[in-house]
Amino acid sequence: MSLDALAPLPAPGVHSPPQEPSRPRLVPVERTARRRRPRLAYGIVAVLGAAAIVAAQMVISILTTQDSYALAELGSQQRQLSWERQILADEVAGLSSPQYLAANASALGMVISEAPTFLRLSDGALVGTSQAASWQSSIDAVGRGAVANALITDTPLVTDPAATIEGVPVEITSEDGAATTPPPLTDGLPTPTTR
């Protein structure tokens, strides 16, 4: 509650003179107020802060760009290495295939015996007839097999490096004798030239 509410009300018919609000006294200024200089330190800090933010954004942008190029290069290397790994896996599968092993054994003069002989490991005894094979094998391991193996068609035999499983002379595909990998795709997929 305010004090004006508790003040006595004027009697009816009696008017009190209106009160004028009090005004502050005006005093003449003897000299002008000194103009404040802006603080130089605040301005320098603001400019340096803005420059630091811009520099940080540029550094982050450059590092991001470098990382994207590094990722692209690593992706290309990964594709190249996966191709090489697939080529090596195919070579291992071909070299361990029964056709390649039989062709190398045949080139060494080994034949398939009709009466196999086994060695019993428990006592070291030979089980079966042990006689030298004086006949020719009916299986031509070096010649064309029933099912051709594309992985070893051009692979030279270990016993005769100048011949393959099909008897074709070996053509070396690269300078060091290793298999060549497909060319890396740098400009997208290769397309034929049309006229």
Side-chain angles (χ1 to χ4, degrees), residues 89-168:
D90 289 347
E91 286 179 3
V92 168
L95 294 176
S96 63
S97 70
Q99 292 104 337
Y100 189 72
L101 295 175
N104 280 308
S106 177
L108 286 173
M110 300 175 85
V111 293
I112 297 174
S113 176
E114 293 293 324
T117 304
F118 299 100
L119 176 63
R120 189 170 44 208
L121 294 178
S122 62
D123 59 355
L126 292 173
V127 179
T129 58
S130 59
Q131 54 181 318
S134 60
W135 50 275
Q136 287 292 329
S137 175
S138 61
I139 299 174
D140 186 13
V142 178
R144 190 162 184 86
V147 177
N149 189 344
L151 295 175
I152 58 171
T153 302
D154 297 331
T155 305
L157 296 177
V158 175
T159 55
D160 187 10
T164 64
I165 194 167
E166 294 186 357
V168 179

Side-chain angles (χ1 to χ4, degrees), residues 76 79 83 182-192:
S76 174
R79 276 192 306 276
W83 286 337
L185 299 175
T186 57
D187 297 330
L189 293 175
T191 56

